Amino acid sequence: MNLGRENHPELRDAVRQLCGKFDSAYWQGIDEKRAYPEAFVAALTEAGWMSALIPEEYGGSGLSLTEASVIMEEVTRSGGNAGCCHGQMYNMNTLLRHGSPEQKKQYLPKIASGELRLQAMGVTEPTAGTDTTRIKTVAVRKGERYVVNGQKVWTSRLQHSELMILLARTTPLDRVAKKSDGMSIFLVDTGSKGLDVRPIRNMVNHETNQVFIDNLEIPVGNLIGEEGKGFRYILDGLNAERILIAAECIGDGYWFIDKSCAYANERVVFDRPIGKNQGIQFPIAECYMEIEAANLMRYKAASLYDQKSSCGAEANMAKHLAAKAAWEAANVCLQTHGGFGFAAEYDVERKFRETRLYLVAPISTNLILSYLAEHVLGLPRSF
Ligand SMILES: Cc1cc2nc3c(=O)[nH]c(=O)nc-3n(C[C@H](O)[C@H](O)[C@H](O)COP(=O)(O)OP(=O)(O)OC[C@H]3O[C@@H](n4cnc5c(N)ncnc54)[C@H](O)[C@@H]3O)c2cc1C
């Protein structure tokens, strides 16, 4: 079915055509082996879709965030997993918005051509959790270098990335006026001495790691923006991240709806297609409605972002509504398939696992609700 595909038909067709070369057998094989979809990411890079948001002057295609979100939506909608590649789009944005002219000139053309990948961002730490201001990784300036010590967790795609954006404290927490001050971000060569990377086997086939940082040396020139303002830069990039993830969830949602309808039409039990039963139809119809509604918020948020208007609330709402709608659609799709939903060859159980992640990462549901309560509804701060 072609539901929800009214916008950007040519872009969609081109991305779909590429994704069509990576069929369900490809993704099943990758999932079974817990491998990284190298061939898929290479094809996406070669076609220029990975550099969609890089301005033309740096060799990218200079597309809008709305268009970039359509690319990610088509990846998940084709049955693929965009978790292998979405990081580059929003990590690169941090460099684009806050990097120096020299850094942009040095790195962006190589990222656009695929020579370098900037797919990893090390923010989360095991003890700080969502309270990022409590991170313990510290960077101390020694002459022309920063020396970094600490630990990160859930640093994704690090083993398939030449560069990583790393958040570290440069001024101790007890010496800053505001707890969000005193953190800085750095562009790190992932092959550097001092990084010990240990993969975390997880529910999804998502290349993610623990990273132990022991006297990692970073040249001063790799500091992004001003020292001490890193947390602000990270927050600044979150709206784009939320909108792209929302679009991926929308793609998942339509994939589950398509699969549910196809199976409900074809599976015959008690001498009739199961889709004739309203007990099967209604949950699918309800999920479809929720995906459509979340999609409106995704386009609203993306359009505000593209107009350079403030979009924090909309980006958070889009991500939350889309992740929830996709997860509900996943559940209904599994139920519609009965026992066969559990068989890997139907892809439903894999996509079910993949879409579940987005209620937790890159930001968990409660934190979005708390943002809206405090910043939009004016309710008292709870932490
Ligand atoms: C597969 C995967 C990939 C990831 N990739 C990356 C990555 O590339 N880079 C990176 O930096 N991070 C990454 N993350 C980390 C991810 O962003 C965090 O897991 C997520 O933000 C939640 O943080 P936490 O796990 O520390 O949960 P915690 O902060 O420990 O919270 C646990 C639970 O308690 C809730 N909670 C906490 N405080 C409150 C409160 N005050 N009120 C109500 N509820 C609360 C949370 O919502 C959550 O449900 C990844 C995680 C996963 C699972």
Side-chain angles (χ1 to χ4, degrees):
M1 279 189 279
N2 236 3
L3 302 168
R5 274 196 164 120
E6 303 80 19
N7 291 327
H8 304 286
E10 283 164 20
L11 173 63
R12 282 182 190 279
D13 282 352
V15 181
R16 247 161 107 188
Q17 220 173 7
L18 185 151
C19 292
K21 295 181 190 148
F22 299 87
D23 58 7
S24 128
Y26 173 80
W27 289 105
Q28 279 169 27
I30 291 284
D31 188 62
E32 199 181 320
K33 289 189 228 108
R34 297 265 156 179
Y36 184 78
E38 242 351 311
F40 173 73
V41 177
L44 212 59
T45 307
E46 213 167 288
W49 301 126
M50 289 280 279
S51 57
L53 289 171
I54 299 183
E56 282 170 312
E57 60 176 305
Y58 296 112
S61 29
L63 298 183
S64 64
L65 189 72
T66 305
E67 290 164 306
S69 79
V70 166
I71 298 171
M72 299 326 268
E73 178 193 338
E74 286 297 330
V75 171
T76 51
R77 199 164 175 171
S78 75
N81 177 6
C84 59
C85 55
H86 57 198
Q88 173 123 325
M89 284 211 182
Y90 46 76
N91 292 338
M92 176 285 306
N93 215 21
T94 306
L95 182 60
L96 184 64
R97 285 164 87 106
H98 305 289
S100 66
E102 296 73 39
Q103 286 170 336
K104 289 193 242 185
K105 232 168 92 188
Q106 182 180 352
Y107 292 107
L108 289 177
K110 289 184 183 164
I111 295 173
S113 72
E115 190 183 332
L116 291 178
R117 289 182 183 177
L118 172 54
Q119 301 221 83
M121 168 146 65
V123 173
T124 308
E125 296 193 2
T127 55
T130 313
D131 188 359
T132 307
T133 61
R134 303 270 172 169
I135 59 166
K136 292 193 176 134
T137 298
V138 290
V140 179
R141 186 163 175 171
K142 290 192 176 155
E144 284 311 293
R145 311 204 153 253
Y146 283 91
V147 178
V148 187
N149 283 285
Q151 189 184 342
K152 296 285 170 184
V153 71
W154 303 117
T155 311
S156 302
R157 300 164 296 272
L158 182 60
Q159 298 170 66
H160 295 88
S161 189
E162 284 76 32
L163 298 167
M164 152 171 74
I165 289 179
L166 180 71
L167 181 75
R169 209 164 243 300
T170 35
T171 309
L173 190 55
D174 58 8
R175 281 208 264 131
V176 289
K178 265 174 66 191
K179 58 185 184 173
S180 54
D181 289 341
M183 286 178 275
S184 305
I185 52 172
F186 302 91
L187 198 56
V188 175
D189 174 344
T190 57
S192 304
K193 222 174 107 211
L195 288 176
D196 176 11
V197 180
R198 300 186 199 167
I200 304 174
R201 186 174 162 83
N202 60 89
M203 178 176 164
V204 196
N205 177 29
H206 196 96
E207 194 254 272
T208 191
N209 308 279
Q210 293 187 77
V211 186
F212 296 88
I213 307 170
D214 182 18
N215 287 323
L216 165 73
E217 294 194 3
I218 307 174
V220 170
N222 284 30
L223 171 75
I224 300 178
E226 274 181 61
E227 188 183 294
K229 294 200 172 155
F231 189 56
R232 228 164 297 165
Y233 302 150
I234 295 281
L235 289 183
D236 190 43
L238 293 185
N239 290 336
E241 180 191 72
R242 309 262 192 273
I243 295 165
L244 290 170
I245 299 279
E248 288 173 36
C249 293
I250 297 289
D252 275 339
Y254 282 122
W255 185 90
F256 287 118
I257 302 289
D258 282 352
K259 275 268 168 183
S260 300
C261 291
Y263 194 75
N265 274 319
E266 119 207 345
R267 171 75 169 165
V268 174
V269 181
F270 296 113
D271 292 328
R272 57 206 238 144
I274 56 168
K276 255 195 172 182
N277 304 302
Q278 291 184 327
I280 289 287
Q281 289 178 1
F282 287 2
I284 304 174
E286 182 137 25
C287 286
Y288 169 59
M289 232 186 311
E290 283 167 13
I291 296 288
E292 286 278 303
N295 207 10
L296 295 177
M297 186 58 78
R298 164 269 185 109
Y299 281 120
K300 180 177 180 185
S303 147
L304 286 170
Y305 184 96
D306 287 331
Q307 291 162 39
K308 303 198 178 359
S309 301
S310 101
C311 64
E314 289 78 6
N316 275 291
M317 288 192 283
K319 189 269 179 186
H320 178 73
L321 292 170
K324 224 165 80 150
W327 170 238
E328 276 160 22
N331 228 347
V332 164
C333 188
L334 191 74
Q335 200 68 17
T336 303
H337 280 73
F340 286 114
F342 291 80
E345 69 170 284
Y346 283 78
D347 296 306
V348 176
E349 62 82 34
R350 172 176 62 80
K351 295 282 282 181
F352 177 94
R353 286 182 276 118
E354 286 168 3
T355 213
R356 181 62 180 84
L357 174 64
Y358 298 120
L359 287 168
V360 171
I363 177 134
S364 58
T365 301
N366 283 357
L367 271 292
I368 290 189
L369 296 174
S370 144
Y371 171 88
L372 287 173
E374 191 187 320
H375 295 281
V376 179
L377 304 177
L379 292 166
R381 256 192 111 113
S382 65
F383 54 87

